[in-house]
Each structure stands twice: as structure tokens, then as C-alpha cells.
Amino acid sequence: MISQKAKYALRALVSLARAGRGETRMIGEISREQAIPKKFLEQILLELKRAGLVASRRGRSGGYELLRPAEQITFGEVLRLIDGPIAPLPCLSIIAYRRCEDCRDEAECEIRHVFERVTLATRAVLDRTSLADSLRLEDLPV
């Protein structure tokens, strides 16, 4: 399950993708449109800015904008940034691997084998689905 913070981050990024490359959106606009508490959105956008996904501009035409094309930002990238590894078991994590405490032999673990298939399929979909894809619901990769 993804966190509420990750869901809000994805909503904010999709909103910026919908605005178009080089166009800015004010925090208040995104907050109202996506039903995200403004203070929480400010924290999320700051984290996305530090990660190099968005930029902010001050002034009359200020606000937030995507730094890369929406086609180059995937759901997998955003989820890893906000929530960490995409793995239901610590022994399946690529970036935070940890052996399960109660496991005798990973090679023989039936639970691990099933969840490994689920994890690989999930990662594949998330890593090939971009913000731009999400705007075209009928074209989402399977």
C-alpha cells in the first residue's frame, strides 16, 4: 500500500504534467484541484524540488513546474523517492535488502517466490508508467 504522502505527491505531479511543460501552477491551485492540505503539499513540493523533479518560481507568473518532461518521470521513481523501496518483503528490496528474521532459506521460501513475482510485475508497471501516461488512461501500459 502506498502512503497518503506518495498519493498526494503523484497527484501534484500529475497536476503539473496536465499544466504542460514550462507552465507553472500555484500551490493553492494544486491544493484545491487535488484536495491536498496546503501545508502538507508545501512539504511534499519541497521534497520533490530537492529531488530535482520540480522547480519553483517567484513573482507574478510564479509557482511550481516540472523540471523534466512528464514522459520521463515514472510512478516508480516517485514512489521510491517518497515511500522508499517497492517491496512487500525486506528480502525482495533492491535498495534496502534485509534477510527476513524468521526465514531459514530464501531459495526455498515459498512465500518469497510468490511475492517476488508480484514485486517484479508491480515494479515493471510502475517503472514504465509515466506521468504523461497517467493523463491518457486508455493508453496505460500493462
Side-chain angles (χ1 to χ4, degrees):
M1 185 177 330
I2 70 170
S3 69
Q4 189 65 44
K5 181 179 180 181
K7 196 172 177 182
Y8 285 162
L10 287 165
R11 281 191 198 166
L13 290 168
V14 167
S15 176
L16 293 173
R18 191 176 289 119
R21 185 110 164 109
E23 296 296 318
T24 60
R25 304 278 325 263
M26 300 296 288
I27 287 180
E29 290 177 279
I30 299 168
S31 172
R32 280 188 304 280
E33 174 190 284
Q34 298 296 324
I36 304 171
K38 191 174 177 183
K39 285 289 182 193
F40 198 22
L41 180 58
E42 289 171 354
Q43 295 169 7
I44 292 167
L45 287 170
L46 188 58
E47 194 168 337
L48 295 172
K49 182 178 176 182
R50 280 193 293 255
L53 294 179
V54 301
S56 62
R57 272 196 264 170
R58 291 185 175 191
R60 199 167 146 192
S61 62
Y64 282 85
E65 65 181 319
L66 294 178
L67 277 177
R68 299 192 330 239
E71 294 82 9
Q72 294 178 10
I73 301 172
T74 67
F75 274 57
E77 177 183 7
V78 176
L79 288 176
R80 285 182 187 91
L81 173 68
I82 302 296
D83 283 351
I86 300 173
L89 299 170
C91 64
L92 293 172
S93 176
I94 294 170
I95 59 174
Y97 170 85
R98 196 175 77 250
R99 187 177 176 92
C100 295
E101 294 174 18
D102 59 346
C103 185
R104 290 185 212 148
D105 182 7
E106 283 182 6
E108 298 297 319
C109 180
E110 298 85 356
I111 295 168
R112 184 180 199 276
H113 289 301
V114 170
F115 279 98
E116 182 175 31
R117 290 172 58 204
V118 170
T119 302
L120 292 173
T122 300
R123 282 184 192 142
V125 170
L126 293 171
D127 288 339
R128 73 173 173 257
T129 304
S130 70
L131 298 177
D133 292 328
S134 72
L135 297 176
R136 300 182 303 267
L137 293 177
E138 65 279 355
D139 295 336
L140 284 178
V142 180

